[in-house]
């Protein structure tokens, strides 16, 4: 198993804290803090949206982006729409699950589904909670390079495409990065996930189906949930290969502790 940023953080904590349970507790606490910070940013943005403080800016951005329409940008928006579609999401989920399961990474496969299930629930809950109308709810269809898309009839905040895409692709990128042997490839995988999420998010604003704040909120919510799920996987992985009676400082906390030798 290759080192990931979370794995290296856990190893560093293990080298500075006495006892495995203390290391896990501090590791999860650090993860909880980072998750709460993301959640706090989401709450601040939600408060601004609910209070109407950024509504005029949101509308101006949608209008300005709409004025930039060109065949090249239409093509990029179409790519973003395809990447963010349900079909693309299910293809990524099924392929990722089959790969992880057949390579005996079942904790990882479980994490992928936990990330997906939580994201779907979180998206539905937040949309109903805020009930923000779409930028142009009177539109019936979206025409783009000969393709016709129905205008969404759900609420606008947060962007479900941004939330689910962030959760799915960043979770997949994290899981793939755990298996990559090259640091360059791990960085490329994470950068690719970032590029895809960014393309999907910007395409939602370009198509006029979301405000920019909807997209940012969706990305924050997706990051919050996928990070929490990844932390759970790391904790489960390390507990899986540790015995409860480990009390010493583990210098190499990422490797299984060998069983003690018995003298005949």
């Amino acid at each position: 198993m290759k080192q990931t940023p979370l794995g290296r953080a856990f190893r560093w904590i293990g080298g500075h804290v006495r006892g495995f349970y203390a290391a896990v507790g501090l590791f999860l606490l650090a993860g909880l803090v980072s998750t709460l910070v993301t959640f706090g940013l989401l709450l601040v943005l939600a408060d601004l949206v609910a209070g109407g403080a950024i509504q005029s800016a949101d509308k101006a951005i949608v209008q300005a982006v709409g004025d930039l329409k060109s065949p090249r940008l239409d093509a990029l928006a179409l790519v973003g729409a395809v990447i963010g579609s349900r079909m693309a999401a299910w293809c990524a989920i099924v392929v990722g699950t089959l790969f992880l399961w057949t390579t005996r990474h079942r904790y990882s496969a479980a994490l992928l589904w936990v990330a997906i299930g939580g994201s779907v629930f979180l998206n539905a809950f937040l949309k109903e909670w805020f009930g923000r109308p779409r930028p142009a709810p009177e539109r019936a269809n979206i025409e783009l390079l000969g393709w016709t898309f129905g205008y969404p009839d759900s609420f606008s905040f947060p962007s479900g495409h941004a939330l689910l895409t962030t959760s799915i692709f960043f979770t997949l990128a994290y899981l793939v990065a755990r298996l990559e042997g090259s640091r360059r490839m791990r960085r490329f995988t994470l950068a690719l996930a970032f590029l895809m999420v960014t393309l999907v998010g910007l395409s939602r604003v370009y198509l006029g189906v979301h405000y920019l704040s909807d997209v940012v909120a969706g990305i924050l919510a997706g990051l919050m949930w996928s990070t929490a799920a990844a932390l759970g996987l790391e904790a489960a992985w390390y507990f899986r290969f540790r015995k409860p009676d480990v009390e010493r400082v583990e210098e190499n906390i990422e490797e299984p502790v060998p069983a003690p030798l018995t003298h005949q």
Side-chain angles (χ1 to χ4, degrees):
M1 184 65 63
K2 307 303 178 183
Q3 290 187 25
T4 62
L6 287 178
R8 287 193 294 271
F10 193 73
R11 182 179 180 179
W12 183 88
I13 291 172
H16 292 78
V17 176
R18 184 173 182 81
F20 176 67
Y21 286 119
V24 172
L26 186 57
F27 175 75
L28 293 179
L29 178 61
L32 178 62
V33 169
S34 64
T35 302
L36 289 177
V37 168
T38 306
F39 182 63
L41 292 174
L42 178 61
L43 286 181
V44 170
L45 181 58
D47 184 65
L48 292 173
V49 170
I54 58 175
Q55 183 67 18
S56 59
D58 267 338
K59 288 183 177 180
I61 291 173
V62 170
Q63 181 62 46
V65 173
D67 292 339
L68 297 175
K69 286 189 176 298
S70 69
R72 182 173 298 179
L73 292 178
D74 284 354
L76 288 175
L78 182 59
V79 172
V82 172
I83 294 174
S85 66
R86 291 183 179 180
M87 181 176 294
W90 277 113
C91 286
I93 293 166
V94 171
V95 171
T97 301
L98 289 175
F99 170 76
L100 293 170
W101 194 265
T102 55
T103 56
R104 303 183 67 180
H105 294 91
R106 296 181 180 179
Y107 279 102
S108 298
L111 167 65
L112 179 59
W113 283 94
V114 168
I116 296 163
S119 298
V120 171
F121 172 80
L122 186 62
N123 177 58
F125 173 78
L126 291 175
K127 281 185 179 295
E128 291 298 325
W129 179 270
F130 289 99
R132 187 187 197 186
R134 298 270 179 172
E138 71 281 356
R139 292 178 63 183
N141 294 305
I142 301 171
E143 300 290 339
L144 190 64
L145 297 179
W147 292 67
T148 301
F149 303 91
Y151 196 86
D153 56 2
S154 60
F155 291 120
S156 188
F157 186 92
S159 167
H161 281 70
L163 196 162
L164 295 174
T165 301
T166 300
S167 183
I168 292 171
F169 286 108
F170 270 100
T171 299
L172 280 173
Y174 164 72
L175 294 175
V176 171
R178 287 172 59 90
L179 307 176
E180 289 286 357
S182 166
R183 178 176 295 182
R184 180 178 297 179
M185 286 303 299
R186 291 198 294 271
R187 290 176 177 174
F188 172 77
T189 301
L190 294 173
L192 182 61
F194 176 80
L195 176 63
M196 295 174 72
V197 168
T198 301
L199 186 59
V200 170
L202 293 180
S203 71
R204 305 308 288 171
V205 179
Y206 183 80
L207 294 174
V209 296
H210 277 296
Y211 297 109
L212 180 60
S213 58
D214 299 334
V215 172
V216 174
I219 292 174
L220 287 174
L223 285 175
M224 178 187 70
W225 181 252
S226 58
T227 299
L231 287 168
L233 173 67
E234 292 289 350
W237 175 263
Y238 292 118
F239 269 120
R240 171 69 177 80
F241 291 108
R242 293 301 185 283
K243 293 187 177 182
D245 59 352
V246 176
E247 296 180 354
R248 64 180 176 84
V249 176
E250 301 185 35
E251 296 181 356
N252 190 1
I253 202 164
E254 290 191 340
E255 297 298 329
V257 175
L261 296 175
T262 57
H263 297 283
Q264 301 296 331

